[in-house]
Amino acid sequence: MECPHLAESVKILAPPMKSKSSQSWNCQVCSSDKSPWLCLTCQQIHCGRFVNGHAKSHHDELQSQLLPVQPLQPHHCVCIDCESMATFCYLCDEFVINDTPGGHIDNLRKQLQEINNSTTAEDVKIQNVENEMKMRPRRRATAETSENNRKKLKTESGARMMKPRSSGLRNLGNTCFMNAVLQSLSNIQQFCGYIKQLPSLENKVTITSKKKIKTRSCKDGDDVFLVEELRKTLVLLWQGKKAAISPESLFSVIWKVVPRFRGYQQQDAHEFMRYLLDRLHTELLTLLPYPNNNSPYIGPKGKSTIVTAIFGGILQNEVNCLICGIESKKHDPFLDLSLDIPQHFTAKSHKAKEGETICHLKDCLASFTDVEELEESELYMCGNCKKKQRSTKKFWLRRLPNVLCLHLKRFRWSTYFRVKLETFVHFPLRGLDMNNYMLNNMHETRGNTNGSTMYDLAAVIVHHGSGAGSGHYTSYAIHEGRWYHFNDSTVSLSDEETVAKCKAYILFYVRREFKLPDFVPNSD
């Protein structure tokens, strides 16, 4: 959103320098180096609300001191994330997309970036010195010194093991919606591994309708392919050489192939994910050769790609005419399911108090598959009655996907604008059983033992803020048994309790019995 408080609140001309001892931004209250926020009024740095919330406390305390004399004065309310460069206003309670007339925030971003880059270079020097020290011959040391060194090395080794190999993604200007989706998909092992092992598509191979192969090169202009830039981005992410990488090339291609995402306004993460997967599916149908017994790729034969092989499922849509009783069945493919939050839960914004009912994910799934009478505006054209009649509809899951993507419909249209539902929805981290929503006695659903209907959570995308066109997206994902929080450039260790408490927007569940075509390799 455009914040009206910048002129009064943005007072500093330059950020402070990092301390030489830590080479990081540290909270002035608890000394944490996680999620550092710089107050644009007084230059103080405090930790964000995902750590100990001292940045918000800083604003609240100073506002309370001003209240008797100057109510709601916009001082100490605007701050900037020292790592992701996102700007937030506590009075508006939203992320900020505008700047002062003099461009002060943009100038501060450039200075912060220079400081971060210089710190990265310093870290490399320190690492080189440490490596050189390791190569020197061992010297005599007392037993106490040796024991201290051993403990220090053990602690440092444990800390390194807790860090994921994945890098963060820099925010290019309200691109958190893209970063959250990319980090979630990058932690779907089978999907990410497949895309990374694709051959370079700088010289594209396409297939004509007559199955003749023709080569063309990618030039600047319309002839660009999203899958190639995604492949490069995923490879860089998992090299782990940098704390954060900049997905500028990928974002540039997205602007070209999906014009609706052009610009730097906030976008909906679910809409972006659907456009991304649809585009990847379309491109892979064109670019990959037909598979055979020796081919590691899923090509256009049968109109399937890695996108549909992993995320694709089939719904059975049953419509029943209430006048003549004739039933119509239709099969609809899907890549994700959009679930309504039941209306009797939507007034609750937080976890229910003791004795109150909590909304569970199973309530949303049950509502999705319940019998529903169609509205007057959606009357069904009955083939038997030969006219539109009152009808009911019901969804069944006919075939489950390998990765079940569930989108909770948190944004609804009010009279003139979209509003967000803050209802907390409890979701399981392990053991989501989809058997109750399956169509029974079908070939696709037989043999449901061995965990074929059981799912475990792999990633979750969260929208922070109250506005549909603003706010901020982050994601949580599990990697090698540990949960991590991906907040643009910052990747930090998290835990199951924190993940379980978040207000999920998009959930990615991986089936325990993961089945891909035999010719597709299982890549890391």
Side-chain angles (χ1 to χ4, degrees):
M1 62 159 290
E2 292 199 1
C3 173
H5 308 122
L6 298 186
E8 295 84 358
S9 187
V10 180
K11 301 296 183 183
I12 67 173
L13 299 177
M17 296 300 293
K18 295 181 180 179
S19 62
K20 292 183 179 180
S21 58
S22 65
Q23 290 295 318
S24 61
W25 306 104
N26 297 94
C27 175
Q28 294 183 213
V29 177
C30 64
S31 300
S32 173
D33 61 353
K34 296 179 180 179
S35 186
W37 287 84
L38 168 67
C39 176
L40 298 187
T41 301
C42 65
Q43 208 184 49
Q44 291 189 30
I45 293 176
H46 298 91
C47 60
R49 63 181 71 195
F50 294 114
V51 187
N52 295 313
H54 289 132
K56 189 174 188 308
S57 298
H58 170 70
H59 163 259
D60 292 341
E61 290 170 5
L62 292 171
Q63 280 297 310
S64 63
Q65 294 173 13
L66 291 171
L67 277 177
V69 183
Q70 298 175 315
L72 294 180
Q73 287 296 309
H75 298 306
H76 307 275
C77 64
V78 180
C79 54
I80 187 170
D81 189 316
C82 296
E83 295 172 339
S84 71
M85 314 302 173
T87 309
F88 189 87
C89 176
Y90 284 111
L91 283 182
C92 298
D93 196 27
E94 288 287 0
F95 284 84
V96 178
I97 64 172
N98 57 319
D99 201 344
T100 63
H104 290 90
I105 295 179
D106 184 55
N107 185 48
L108 285 168
R109 283 195 179 104
K110 292 177 181 177
Q111 295 182 65
L112 285 168
Q113 191 63 58
E114 289 177 0
I115 294 173
N116 288 338
N117 290 340
S118 64
T119 303
T120 302
E122 185 67 24
D123 290 340
V124 172
K125 292 180 181 179
I126 293 173
Q127 185 63 46
N128 290 338
V129 171
E130 291 178 351
N131 292 337
E132 183 180 347
M133 293 293 291
K134 291 177 182 178
M135 296 299 293
R136 293 181 179 179
R138 294 182 179 178
R139 298 178 179 178
R140 291 183 179 178
T142 61
E144 182 179 358
T145 302
S146 299
E147 180 64 16
N148 290 338
N149 289 339
R150 187 186 67 79
K151 291 180 179 179
K152 183 179 179 181
L153 287 172
K154 185 177 180 180
T155 302
E156 291 175 351
S157 175
R160 282 195 297 269
M161 288 184 68
M162 287 194 297
K163 294 181 179 179
R165 291 181 296 162
S166 176
S167 302
L169 288 166
R170 290 197 176 95
N171 193 313
L172 306 177
N174 284 314
T175 57
C176 56
F177 69 94
M178 178 178 73
N179 294 345
V181 171
L182 292 177
Q183 292 287 18
S184 298
L185 294 179
S186 76
N187 281 279
I188 306 296
Q189 178 184 335
Q190 292 81 358
F191 174 78
C192 180
Y194 181 92
I195 297 295
K196 285 196 302 179
Q197 58 85 43
L198 287 172
S200 174
L201 300 173
E202 293 294 346
N203 290 320
K204 307 297 187 299
V205 177
T206 60
I207 302 176
T208 66
S209 59
K210 296 181 179 180
K211 303 184 183 180
K212 292 182 180 179
I213 297 178
K214 164 166 69 168
T215 304
R216 55 178 174 171
S217 61
C218 180
K219 301 177 182 178
D220 292 335
D222 295 332
D223 191 11
V224 292
F225 289 92
L226 185 58
V227 65
E228 171 63 7
E229 291 304 327
L230 178 64
R231 183 189 68 82
K232 293 177 183 177
T233 301
L234 292 179
V235 169
L236 285 174
L237 265 181
W238 287 100
Q239 282 179 347
K241 293 182 178 179
K242 298 181 179 180
I245 65 171
S246 180
E248 291 178 359
S249 297
L250 177 61
F251 197 41
S252 176
V253 171
I254 289 170
W255 277 17
K256 291 178 181 178
V257 300
V258 192
R260 74 178 309 276
F261 290 111
R262 289 176 183 169
Y264 292 98
Q265 66 272 23
Q266 183 64 280
Q267 302 283 356
D268 185 272
H270 176 247
E271 291 181 8
F272 171 74
M273 183 195 73
R274 285 305 313 271
Y275 274 101
L276 176 68
L277 293 179
D278 288 343
R279 177 74 187 194
L280 290 175
H281 173 65
T282 302
E283 288 185 1
L284 290 173
L285 282 177
T286 305
L287 295 170
L288 293 183
Y290 287 96
N292 53 51
N293 293 334
N294 299 317
S295 172
Y297 310 120
I298 302 177
K301 191 174 184 179
K303 303 298 182 184
S304 178
T305 66
I306 192 65
V307 175
T308 53
I310 287 183
F311 299 96
I314 296 178
L315 281 174
Q316 179 159 307
N317 184 1
E318 298 178 356
V319 179
N320 186 50
C321 177
L322 292 177
I323 306 302
C324 69
I326 291 296
E327 188 177 66
S328 173
K329 297 180 181 179
K330 186 174 71 168
H331 300 157
D332 298 318
F334 69 88
L335 295 178
D336 71 305
L337 298 178
S338 291
L339 309 179
D340 283 305
I341 299 174
Q343 192 170 1
H344 57 283
F345 289 112
T346 56
K348 301 173 183 178
S349 59
H350 301 285
K351 279 192 173 181
K353 297 178 181 179
E354 187 175 352
E356 292 182 346
T357 306
I358 299 175
C359 180
H360 288 257
L361 184 61
K362 63 182 181 181
D363 296 316
C364 302
L365 286 165
S367 176
F368 180 79
T369 55
D370 277 348
V371 176
E372 175 188 358
E373 185 169 347
L374 296 174
E375 300 286 343
E376 290 291 329
S377 59
E378 300 176 324
L379 291 180
Y380 168 66
M381 176 60 75
C382 177
N384 185 51
C385 299
K386 305 300 180 184
K387 63 178 182 178
K388 292 185 176 181
Q389 300 282 30
R390 290 177 52 245
S391 311
T392 60
K393 72 173 181 179
K394 177 175 176 60
F395 286 121
W396 290 100
L397 288 168
R398 185 181 178 89
R399 189 178 74 198
L400 287 169
N402 284 302
V403 174
L404 179 64
C405 179
L406 301 176
H407 160 236
L408 298 178
K409 295 162 74 171
R410 290 198 173 274
F411 300 110
R412 293 181 180 177
W413 280 102
S414 182
T415 307
Y416 300 107
F417 51 87
R418 290 174 76 196
V419 294
K420 181 184 176 184
L421 302 178
E422 293 285 357
T423 306
F424 174 77
V425 178
H426 179 273
F427 54 91
L429 271 64
R430 285 177 291 273
L432 173 65
D433 191 353
M434 296 298 293
N435 187 59
N436 291 336
Y437 318 106
M438 294 292 296
L439 190 64
N440 296 322
N441 300 319
M442 298 298 299
H443 173 71
E444 293 90 341
T445 59
R446 287 177 191 157
N448 284 336
T449 55
N450 303 321
S452 62
T453 63
M454 299 294 289
Y455 287 78
D456 299 315
L457 188 67
V460 55
I461 294 176
V462 184
H463 177 270
H464 311 274
S466 58
S470 56
H472 183 58
Y473 287 99
T474 66
S475 62
Y476 294 91
I478 191 168
H479 176 70
E480 295 181 350
R482 294 181 181 272
W483 282 98
Y484 294 91
H485 185 211
F486 296 87
N487 183 6
D488 287 334
S489 299
T490 305
V491 182
S492 56
L493 187 67
S494 188
D495 54 67
E496 290 190 356
E497 184 180 3
T498 301
V499 176
K501 289 181 179 178
C502 75
K503 292 182 181 178
Y505 182 47
I506 305 174
L507 297 154
F508 297 87
Y509 282 94
V510 176
R511 185 160 57 176
R512 290 180 180 176
E513 190 179 275
F514 204 103
K515 293 181 179 179
L516 281 177
D518 294 336
F519 50 79
V520 179
N522 288 321
S523 304
D524 292 330

